[in-house]
Amino acid sequence: MEVSWETSVEKSINTIYLLFSAYLVFMMQLGFAMLCAGSVRAKNAMNIMLTNVVDAVVGSISYYLFGFAFAFGEGSSSNPFIGTYYFALKDIPNSTYDYSFFLYQWAFAIAVAGITSGSIAERTQFSTYLIFSFFLTGFVYPVVSHWMWSSSGWLSPSASDLFIGSGAIDFAGSGVVHLVGGIAGLWGSLIEGPRAGRFDAFGKPVPMRGHNATLVVLGTFLLWFGWFGFNPGSFDKILVSYPTTSDQGNWTGVSRTAVTTALAGSTAGIVTLFGRRLLVGHWDALDVCNGVLGGFVAITSGCSVVEPWAAIVCGLVSAWVLIGLNIVALKLKFDDPLEATQLHGGCGAWGLIFTGLFAKEEFVVQVYDSGASGVSRPYGLFLGGGWNLLGSQVVEILAIVGWDSISPATVGTHTRVIRRKHGPGTTQTMRGFRTGS
Amino acid sequence: MDCSPADLQGLFGTNASSAAAEYICGRFDAVSSKFIDTGYAVDNTYLLFSTYLVFSMQIGFAMLCAGSVRAKNTMNIMLTNVLDAATGGCFYYLFGFALAFGTPSNGFIGRHFFGLSQFPSPSFDYGFFLFQWAFAIAAAGITSGSIAERTQFSAYLIYSSLLTGLVYPIASHWFWSVDGWASPGRADGLLFGSGVIDFAGSGVVHMVGGIAGLWGAFIEGPRIGRFDHSGRAVALRGHSGTLVVLGTLLLWFGWYGFNPGSFVNILKTYGESGSFYGQWSAVARTAVTTTLAGSTAALTTLFGKRLLAGHWNVTDVCNGLLGGFAAITAGCSVVDPWAAVICGFFSAWVLIGLNMLAEKVQYDDPLEAAQLHGGCGAWGLIFTGLFAKKEYVNQVYGGAENRPFGLLLGGGFGLLGAQIVQILAVTAWVSVTMGTMFFALHKLNLLRISHEEEMDGMDVTSHGGLAYVYEDKVHNKGGEIQL
């Protein structure tokens, strides 16, 4: 039985779209590596970059062997909590999932561990980090993505049996990716404690500037570039038409998603620029970079189901969430070298709430029911869509925080995520030589 | 979508006019044309974006090189990388592409499309030329790593032109042109009934670049201070680990154009399969095998060097990663993902072993390019001869159903034999051409820079100054202040 011409065209176009989106998401590894390198002190640059490279390579193996299976393994006996098929890509490709989908999901999985590495930078034993990265990418993250993104997941908006009639909408992962990474980082950072010298004897913070602002900006722009794969690419397929329109389909949704992404990041950047000018008295490039990234993290959840004007609101609030959480962190003597918990955890949570407030019904139906006519779903509270979507979003936040606190904490106690005691910096002793740039 | 008005008219009965049949067939022909146009548009989009990715490997390699050399030679090595692309562009357009793909021709060398005359043709459009150009300039970049920090700039220009314009195109003709003597796509006369399977160029690109580098570095000799009086190796550290990591990850990104892009077309069905599987699946599978080989190689290197050297070394891991990619490049499209893991695992040990050997024989290669591209490239060819899967070989290369495939999967010795022939042929060809060229330059005193220049660094002696300017006011030799 030969593949029909129509199917060939559709599969080719969709594969090109998904594969190139996956490559863009992979670029974010590089962006994050540069952001991290620039944000830490020179003596620890090799360490943090190695953790970023290791996240990718360790994650490849764990996600291939079982991570993808836990996330998307669906079959006759699938359950809403965890997947149980496709270990080591057995029975892939099939009519639902091709290799391109695996590669795209792999690129997401390795991003999560990278986030956490920022929170525990400059003071974590490398062997512990290896174990943690393997476990996060191979188990903790895939289980959460199963809940939200597999059609058998209990919180999924594509399930046959929707949670409180809605399911939670986390389109590209403000919760699944960013909140998971951020909360894991929160625990690591809390258990380890601040870097030596970060707070003086009176509890006042001592600035520990990163060693290279150029790398921070380079990394930020590479992350922005990659986000055009992260958000729009989450449609998976571009060649899907909406039956109630004459010329619209996923290609429209994809492009709109790219627009909402750009607007949210930009707005967050501008608001951060002026906000910090008020608070600290100068125009701070690095703060703006983090503000921009926070905006992207926040819009990630609802990028496909909100109007562009709403994305501006998202970015505006996300900037203040980040600024506020940073102030709180300093007061509580919480030290996160990349502000990863505040940015990914905090702005990620705000993003989920934002979606529950501003999701537009027409877009929700397009994304999750392929635009079928006569379908109605809960949507944003502020647009009149009721409380069910917002309720599901809150449940998602609680579920992730709960799950993410049990599992890494368990790992943490078993492997003792302990800081190095003293010493001339992890880089010199652990890497054999120092970086000079 | 063939429609014959005569046949159709017959179905309407003996008295029917031909007008209806011609009208209907005309409509079918119009639809059929649209389908063909769609196919070209889809395939060209795919090929062009893959090309842009392969091109981004130039910046990746430039950053890798910059970070791996000492600061005083940074401008030099980056200029060579930029010029590889630029001179390659000119020479590959003028005659390189023709020598590689000019068909119809003989098994050794092509002879059409000089200066892209008769372009575009039914066989080749501009996208294909650009894709091949991106590959050609990659090969020249590899060699620059081996001879870094001690080679006269004019020698770079000469070797780069010769490699991109002549040596590499001819090698690629043998294995990638339908007329090539060792090509797996020949209509008849397949080498050992198989032809060589070097899908994206472990041999054609990586071994060619690596062997050329081997001769250049060997003839020039090690950098000053690389081996002390007792022959022990002295580490000459690169000046920026960050640039090494940046370059490595950019190369990884670009490899997604290099390997899967080598399918050239994505809109192709494999007749006998189910309703979802076609060339688009094979393309995606190739991206997966690429990823797994590199990752496994990197991890193996991480733990291997931890055992051997006692610490976790990020630049070694980066090199291990790249070696894994160089190895899987030959068989990425014809092996299963689990086999790619095996490829990466052994590639790591090949690289570690060759590096140890290089130190023992006092061979100095600043980017370990000969070991990585030459050594891991050769391993990749062998690996393909062992693990190529019958179903994939038939889908990708067509031909007889019973053509040889991986030895360890029961496919006989035909493919492995052909792979070994490629290793020997490439080594011989590149040694004869580039080895002779480097030797001639050496004899004419045009190859290596002077002792003084090497100590001062090439940036200040030949390139106008250092790459890094940390102070605005500089006291120059005359005691004056320069801003």
Side-chain angles (χ1 to χ4, degrees):
Chain A
M1 170 181 110
E2 172 145 337
V3 187
S4 73
W5 173 259
E6 200 185 318
T7 306
S8 306
V9 170
E10 188 195 322
K11 294 272 177 198
S12 295
I13 292 176
N14 285 329
T15 299
I16 292 174
Y17 179 66
L18 193 57
L19 274 182
F20 280 92
S21 298
Y23 307 154
L24 281 172
V25 177
F26 175 71
M27 270 305 248
M28 295 169 83
Q29 283 301 113
L30 172 58
F32 202 69
M34 294 299 106
L35 180 78
C36 284
S39 300
V40 302
R41 289 163 292 176
K43 63 185 183 180
N44 293 318
M46 295 295 253
N47 169 267
I48 192 100
M49 287 194 297
L50 182 58
T51 63
N52 274 291
V53 174
V54 153
D55 281 333
V57 303
V58 161
S60 300
I61 303 302
S62 64
Y63 200 70
Y64 160 73
L65 286 176
F66 41 82
F68 182 76
F70 289 150
F72 292 99
E74 293 143 16
S76 47
S77 66
S78 42
N79 73 70
F81 178 71
I82 192 170
T84 50
Y85 293 88
Y86 309 144
F87 290 94
L89 290 187
K90 181 171 183 301
D91 297 326
I92 296 282
N94 59 38
S95 48
T96 329
Y97 297 129
D98 201 339
Y99 287 109
S100 46
F101 184 76
F102 165 76
L103 199 74
Y104 188 70
Q105 293 301 327
W106 160 80
F108 269 64
I110 61 176
V112 184
I115 292 168
T116 315
S117 71
S119 300
I120 56 178
E122 303 208 78
R123 57 215 196 280
T124 306
Q125 288 191 36
F126 189 73
S127 36
T128 308
Y129 185 77
L130 275 178
I131 299 168
F132 151 76
S133 176
F134 184 83
F135 184 64
L136 187 73
T137 314
F139 179 65
V140 176
Y141 160 80
V143 165
V144 176
S145 68
H146 184 83
W147 301 343
M148 293 299 313
W149 289 345
S150 160
S151 52
S152 37
W154 65 276
L155 259 184
S156 167
S158 333
S160 41
D161 181 17
L162 294 170
F163 180 76
I164 60 175
S166 169
I169 291 181
D170 189 4
F171 185 68
S174 297
V176 179
V177 176
H178 297 281
L179 188 59
V180 167
I183 299 295
L186 171 70
W187 284 109
S189 236
L190 267 180
I191 295 172
E192 279 190 324
R195 290 168 286 179
R198 179 71 174 108
F199 297 97
D200 66 14
F202 305 100
K204 251 184 40 195
V206 175
M208 279 188 174
R209 292 170 62 92
H211 84 283
N212 189 327
T214 312
L215 289 177
V216 171
V217 174
L218 171 67
T220 302
F221 272 107
L222 281 169
L223 283 166
W224 188 336
F225 174 63
W227 234 293
F228 286 124
F230 201 90
N231 283 2
S234 294
F235 273 90
D236 288 343
K237 298 187 165 78
I238 190 167
L239 185 47
V240 172
S241 59
Y242 299 148
T244 55
T245 70
S246 62
D247 58 3
Q248 289 191 33
N250 270 4
W251 51 87
T252 320
V254 155
S255 319
R256 187 184 62 239
T257 303
V259 172
T260 54
T261 301
L263 281 174
S266 305
T267 310
I270 299 171
V271 171
T272 309
L273 177 73
F274 287 104
R276 293 296 285 171
R277 173 72 177 81
L278 277 173
L279 291 171
V280 302
H282 63 263
W283 311 101
D284 194 306
L286 300 183
D287 282 340
V288 168
C289 285
N290 280 321
V292 166
L293 295 176
F296 289 138
V297 167
I299 194 61
T300 294
S301 144
C303 48
S304 60
V305 294
V306 301
E307 292 272 21
W309 62 259
I312 294 177
V313 173
C314 179
L316 200 154
V317 175
S318 134
W320 288 112
V321 165
L322 183 58
I323 290 174
L325 286 177
N326 278 334
I327 294 173
V328 167
L330 286 183
K331 285 230 159 23
L332 298 177
K333 301 223 282 281
F334 172 75
D335 178 29
D336 186 321
L338 270 289
E339 20 188 285
T341 303
Q342 300 92 298
L343 204 160
H344 296 272
C347 295
W350 154 241
L352 289 171
I353 304 285
F354 161 78
T355 308
L357 298 172
F358 287 91
K360 186 167 164 173
E361 182 175 27
E362 179 193 343
F363 298 160
V364 173
V365 172
Q366 282 174 355
V367 172
Y368 292 106
D369 296 293
S370 301
S373 63
V375 174
S376 77
R377 298 184 70 121
Y379 55 103
L381 175 69
F382 288 172
L383 304 183
W387 290 87
N388 285 29
L389 178 59
L390 181 62
S392 306
Q393 305 297 91
V394 170
V395 167
E396 180 186 345
I397 295 175
L398 295 172
I400 287 176
V401 171
W403 169 251
D404 217 15
S405 304
I406 310 171
S407 23
T410 317
V411 177
T413 42
H414 281 152
T415 61
R416 292 183 301 121
V417 176
I418 54 174
R419 45 184 308 160
R420 291 187 64 72
K421 292 212 164 81
H422 331 278
T426 50
T427 296
Q428 194 170 1
T429 50
M430 295 192 89
R431 300 293 164 276
F433 63 101
R434 59 171 88 240
T435 179
S437 83
Chain B
M1 277 258 147
D2 293 330
C3 189
S4 155
D7 292 344
L8 187 54
Q9 188 187 342
L11 295 172
F12 289 149
T14 44
N15 289 330
S17 77
S18 59
E22 276 160 15
Y23 176 79
I24 291 174
C25 278
R27 298 283 94 214
F28 269 110
D29 287 340
V31 172
S32 176
S33 299
K34 273 198 148 28
F35 282 166
I36 294 172
D37 290 344
T38 306
Y40 284 135
V42 167
D43 284 332
N44 268 284
T45 304
Y46 176 66
L47 186 61
L48 274 177
F49 278 88
S50 297
T51 300
Y52 307 152
L53 256 65
V54 177
F55 178 69
S56 75
M57 294 169 87
Q58 285 299 113
I59 176 72
F61 201 68
M63 295 298 105
L64 179 75
C65 285
S68 302
V69 302
R70 290 161 294 176
K72 62 186 181 183
N73 293 316
T74 308
M75 298 293 250
N76 169 267
I77 193 98
M78 288 198 297
L79 182 58
T80 66
N81 274 292
V82 173
L83 283 174
D84 282 335
T87 55
C90 298
F91 287 115
Y92 198 70
Y93 160 76
L94 286 174
F95 40 83
F97 180 77
L99 299 179
F101 291 101
T103 191
S105 65
N106 64 65
F108 177 74
I109 194 170
R111 52 187 179 86
H112 293 276
F113 310 132
F114 287 92
L116 291 188
S117 63
Q118 298 162 339
F119 234 68
S121 78
S123 350
F124 299 127
D125 202 342
Y126 287 107
F128 184 74
F129 163 75
L130 201 69
F131 184 70
Q132 293 302 330
W133 161 80
F135 269 64
I137 61 179
I142 292 168
T143 313
S144 71
S146 300
I147 56 178
E149 302 207 83
R150 60 211 193 283
T151 306
Q152 291 185 39
F153 196 71
S154 36
Y156 271 119
L157 292 175
I158 295 170
Y159 106 74
S160 177
S161 316
L162 188 71
L163 190 73
T164 316
L166 188 79
V167 176
Y168 162 82
I170 290 177
S172 68
H173 182 83
W174 300 346
F175 307 105
W176 287 346
S177 162
V178 295
D179 305 318
W181 62 270
S183 164
R186 284 178 68 90
D188 51 32
L190 288 170
L191 178 68
F192 301 154
S194 167
V196 168
I197 292 183
D198 186 8
F199 186 68
S202 294
V204 176
V205 177
H206 296 281
M207 275 194 75
V208 167
I211 301 289
L214 175 71
W215 283 109
F218 171 67
I219 290 171
E220 277 191 324
R223 289 168 288 176
I224 296 168
R226 176 73 176 106
F227 296 101
D228 67 17
H229 297 295
S230 55
R232 249 201 355 224
V234 175
L236 293 181
R237 301 286 179 199
H239 83 278
S240 171
T242 313
L243 289 178
V244 168
V245 172
L246 172 66
T248 302
L249 289 176
L250 277 168
L251 283 166
W252 185 338
F253 172 67
W255 234 293
Y256 287 125
F258 202 91
N259 284 2
S262 293
F263 275 95
V264 177
N265 306 110
I266 190 168
L267 182 44
K268 189 169 164 222
T269 60
Y270 296 144
E272 69 296 311
S273 300
S275 64
F276 56 85
Y277 182 76
Q279 186 126 301
W280 50 88
S281 311
V283 159
R285 186 186 62 238
T286 303
V288 172
T289 54
T290 302
T291 308
L292 286 174
S295 301
T296 311
L299 268 177
T300 309
T301 309
L302 177 74
F303 288 106
K305 293 297 282 187
R306 173 72 178 80
L307 279 173
L308 294 169
H311 60 262
W312 313 97
N313 190 312
V314 64
T315 41
D316 282 342
V317 166
C318 285
N319 281 318
L321 182 68
L322 296 174
F325 288 139
I328 194 62
T329 294
C332 49
S333 61
V334 294
V335 300
D336 270 323
W338 60 262
V341 171
I342 295 175
C343 178
F345 178 77
F346 284 103
S347 134
W349 291 112
V350 165
L351 183 58
I352 289 174
L354 286 177
N355 278 333
M356 290 164 83
L357 177 65
E359 275 192 8
K360 281 229 160 32
V361 302
Q362 291 185 33
Y363 168 78
D364 178 29
D365 188 321
L367 271 288
E368 11 188 294
Q371 299 91 301
L372 200 161
H373 297 273
C376 294
W379 154 241
L381 293 171
I382 304 282
F383 160 79
T384 307
L386 297 173
F387 287 92
K389 187 166 164 175
K390 181 182 164 102
E391 177 194 344
Y392 301 156
V393 170
N394 283 321
Q395 284 165 354
V396 175
Y397 292 106
E401 267 292 313
N402 57 352
R403 63 185 300 159
F405 52 100
L407 173 69
L408 296 182
L409 302 183
F413 281 90
L415 179 58
L416 182 62
Q419 306 296 90
I420 292 173
V421 166
Q422 179 187 18
I423 293 175
L424 297 172
V426 166
T427 305
W429 170 243
V430 176
S431 301
V432 162
T433 50
M434 299 301 287
T436 310
M437 183 215 75
F438 279 123
F439 187 71
L441 287 172
H442 170 66
K443 278 298 177 198
L444 294 170
N445 261 329
L446 288 174
L447 187 59
R448 189 161 178 165
I449 57 180
S450 70
H451 184 110
E452 293 76 29
E453 252 203 288
E454 193 169 331
M455 296 310 285
D456 285 339
M458 297 182 70
D459 290 357
V460 296
T461 61
S462 312
H463 296 289
L466 292 169
Y468 300 98
V469 182
Y470 287 124
E471 289 174 10
D472 292 323
K473 278 189 250 187
V474 168
H475 293 270
N476 68 12
K477 287 199 175 110
E480 292 146 5
I481 297 179
Q482 249 174 287
L483 289 171

